[in-house]
Amino acid sequence: MTKVTMTVNGRAVSGEVEGRTLLSAFLREGLGLTGTHVGCDTSQCGACVVHVDGKAVKSCTVFASDVAGASVTTIEGMANPDGTLGRVQQAFQDHHGLQCGFCTPGMVMSTAALLAENPKPTEADVRHYLEGNICRCTGYHNIVKAVLAASGQDVSGVAAE
Amino acid sequence: MYEFDFEKPATVAEAVAALGREDAMALGGGQTLIPSMKQRLAAPSALVSLTGIAEMRGVCTGDDAALCVGGATTHAAVAAEAAGRYPALAALAGNIGDPAVRNRGTIGGSLANNDPAADYPAAVLGSGATIVTNNRSIAADDFFEGLFTTALEPGEIIVEVRFPIPERAAYAKFQQPASRFALTGVFVAKTANGVRVAVTGASESGVFRWGEAEAALSADFSADAIAGLSVPADGMVSDLHGTPAYRANLVKVMTQRAVSAA
Ligand SMILES: Cc1cc2nc3c(=O)[nH]c(=O)nc-3n(C[C@H](O)[C@H](O)[C@H](O)COP(=O)(O)OP(=O)(O)OC[C@H]3O[C@@H](n4cnc5c(N)ncnc54)[C@H](O)[C@@H]3O)c2cc1C
Ligand code: FES
Ligand code: FES
């Protein structure tokens, strides 16, 4: 076991990890941040996406030791400081961008990364960027609508299919 | 996944020393190796992360004739940093997997792995690039040795890849929509010395050059120039996504699309 230290949602944290401890396990089991979901554990579904130094990564496919010292943001860090839903989260609620909610933490984290890179994405940009996030419930249309709404674009003409 | 010792050296020399241990393996972005370790297809005693080696990251800008990419440079960094100098390479990198895979996966890891459906091998072979390791330079034509097999010796690290910049180039990928790997992908590059055509995803023996098309395109760089050619279905991959004949046809169609886009 070795000690790792990193910043998670603005807070300095540390814990004992094995070499093989995945970032997803360190967050969920080590820090109790169970908002990061593990859907497939095989790098396919994107439910576990978090930001490492501002970039979206699949936390089930990164070792905690390899990101020691980094700044990590999880879904728990996406709410406003007063505890109300953040802009992306609120858009998902307003536009029914979720049903069971299992994929949602990863969808929100990928969306936030997209909007940081591309503040006014087109529908095609959104669909391309979210290719690595799989949702078994919604059929994606309302997720795309929520992302466009979160970017401040008018979605009244986008059909809910 | 079995436990291992984790090391994160800061220099190539330290990484080479650490890889001298028995059953030690290099860790690039982990996007292939970590899933393989979960399945116990790989069980190294030690992992040597290359992500902390500053000299192996980034795209160089100094040299006009060539673009060099550090072996631990992520796909996302190549997509962003090579766009001005070598747009065909940047576009290829920007279409690997998904954003999260591109933020971790590296060019060195992709080439060392040599998956028969990976994208980078087509760019490296199609460009006639040079793979620079910790102790030698290997021409692309000598690097790829078949499915998941390369000229790398155990413990050898890809430090840099040097791409000569062609006059015109493009990559056309017919994507397998679930995995986003190439069902067939063709990289075409036109240089002063002729045209190179490299095909990934199609052949049972991994990435290869299509010599007949290269000759025809060197004489006339147009999609029509290869209209009369065909690729034998022998040795093409057969799986649930396509028959050998389907893939053989895709090789020609993707080559024509790449030529038109270049
Ligand atoms: C969901 C998903 C989709 C993907 N889609 C695509 C796709 O469309 N196209 C595509 O081409 N790829 C795709 N990939 C693979 C991806 O590009 C990987 O990043 C790549 O194959 C391996 O790079 P890595 O840096 O992650 O290497 P790792 O997984 O860390 O390592 C792979 C192998 O290379 C060795 N290695 C790593 N770096 C070096 C180095 N510098 N020198 C020598 N040896 C080294 C390791 O020891 C290991 O054997 C996908 C992966 C995932 C998970
Ligand atoms: S749990 Fe990480 S990609 Fe599915
Ligand atoms: S809302 Fe259920 S998986 Fe996406």
Side-chain angles (χ1 to χ4, degrees):
Chain A
M1 303 281 267
T2 48
K3 187 174 167 186
V4 293
T5 301
M6 62 183 82
T7 305
V8 176
N9 300 329
R11 200 164 55 92
V13 298
S14 61
E16 294 286 320
V17 297
E18 292 185 302
R20 63 183 167 180
T21 304
L22 298 165
L23 178 59
S24 52
F26 179 67
L27 293 169
R28 290 175 54 83
E29 290 151 35
L31 303 177
L33 295 174
T34 53
T36 296
H37 289 172
V38 176
C40 64
D41 209 16
T42 59
S43 335
Q44 303 296 317
C45 75
C48 66
V49 168
V50 301
H51 298 178
V52 173
D53 292 331
K55 295 192 182 330
V57 306
K58 294 176 183 173
S59 61
C60 76
T61 313
V62 180
F63 293 116
S65 300
D66 211 8
V67 292
S71 175
V72 175
T73 307
T74 69
I75 188 68
E76 286 88 350
M78 296 305 285
N80 295 320
D82 66 1
T84 56
L85 294 181
R87 183 170 57 122
V88 175
Q89 293 172 310
Q90 189 62 54
F92 271 68
Q93 187 185 61
D94 292 345
H95 297 280
H96 299 282
L98 63 151
Q99 288 180 22
C100 80
F102 197 87
C103 68
T104 314
M107 289 288 179
V108 169
M109 298 314 290
S110 286
T111 300
L114 163 65
L115 298 182
E117 274 173 39
N118 180 358
K120 290 275 180 269
T122 63
E123 180 180 337
D125 293 340
V126 174
R127 291 187 188 274
H128 182 60
Y129 200 91
L130 293 181
E131 270 181 346
N133 292 83
I134 295 174
C135 176
R136 66 188 170 181
C137 301
T138 62
Y140 301 100
H141 295 303
N142 283 344
I143 291 176
V144 174
K145 193 171 178 180
V147 176
L148 291 169
S151 73
Q153 303 186 74
D154 177 18
V155 291
S156 52
V158 180
E161 285 166 65
Chain B
M1 188 188 323
Y2 295 112
E3 178 56 347
F4 53 84
D5 292 333
F6 180 81
E7 293 191 53
K8 192 166 176 177
T11 65
V12 172
E14 286 166 24
V16 171
L19 284 167
R21 288 175 60 176
E22 200 176 335
D23 293 330
M25 278 182 87
L27 176 69
Q31 302 302 291
T32 297
L33 186 52
I34 295 175
S36 314
M37 289 172 65
K38 287 179 180 177
Q39 294 179 66
R40 298 183 173 173
L41 294 172
S45 61
L47 273 192
V48 180
S49 171
L50 306 176
T51 59
I53 304 177
E55 61 189 297
M56 281 179 60
R57 280 203 311 259
V59 176
C60 74
T61 47
D63 186 340
D64 280 350
L67 183 91
C68 42
V69 180
T73 310
T74 62
H75 309 331
V78 173
E81 294 172 28
R85 302 273 310 287
Y86 197 169
L89 182 69
L92 173 144
N95 254 315
I96 295 175
D98 56 58
V101 167
R102 295 195 287 275
N103 282 334
R104 293 294 301 175
T106 66
I107 188 169
S110 177
L111 295 175
N113 192 50
N114 194 17
D115 187 301
D119 297 307
Y120 266 130
V124 166
L125 189 63
S127 306
T130 303
I131 288 133
V132 182
T133 75
N134 52 292
N135 61 19
R136 59 183 170 146
S137 291
I138 310 169
D141 286 315
D142 302 324
F143 182 80
F144 302 102
E145 296 186 341
L147 295 195
F148 300 104
T149 316
T150 69
L152 291 175
E153 300 290 341
E156 195 171 3
I157 300 174
I158 300 175
V159 174
E160 185 178 281
V161 185
R162 296 183 64 82
F163 292 89
I165 298 186
E167 291 163 7
R168 291 163 70 179
Y171 179 59
K173 173 178 180 178
F174 195 87
Q175 184 165 289
Q176 204 282 89
S179 77
R180 294 177 296 284
F181 273 90
L183 203 59
T184 290
V186 179
F187 197 96
V188 170
K190 180 177 187 295
T191 70
N193 305 325
V195 175
R196 290 174 70 103
V197 177
V199 181
T200 189
S203 164
E204 282 177 339
S205 31
V207 67
F208 70 96
R209 284 173 67 186
W210 184 18
E212 243 186 320
E214 291 184 352
L217 291 168
S218 296
D220 170 14
F221 192 72
S222 75
D224 286 344
I226 57 167
L229 302 185
S230 62
V231 180
D234 259 11
M236 293 288 150
V237 174
S238 171
D239 61 17
L240 80 167
H241 307 298
T243 60
Y246 180 70
R247 280 193 167 79
N249 186 54
L250 269 182
V251 172
K252 178 167 146 182
V253 173
M254 289 298 117
T255 304
Q256 289 182 309
R257 286 190 194 171
V259 170
S260 302

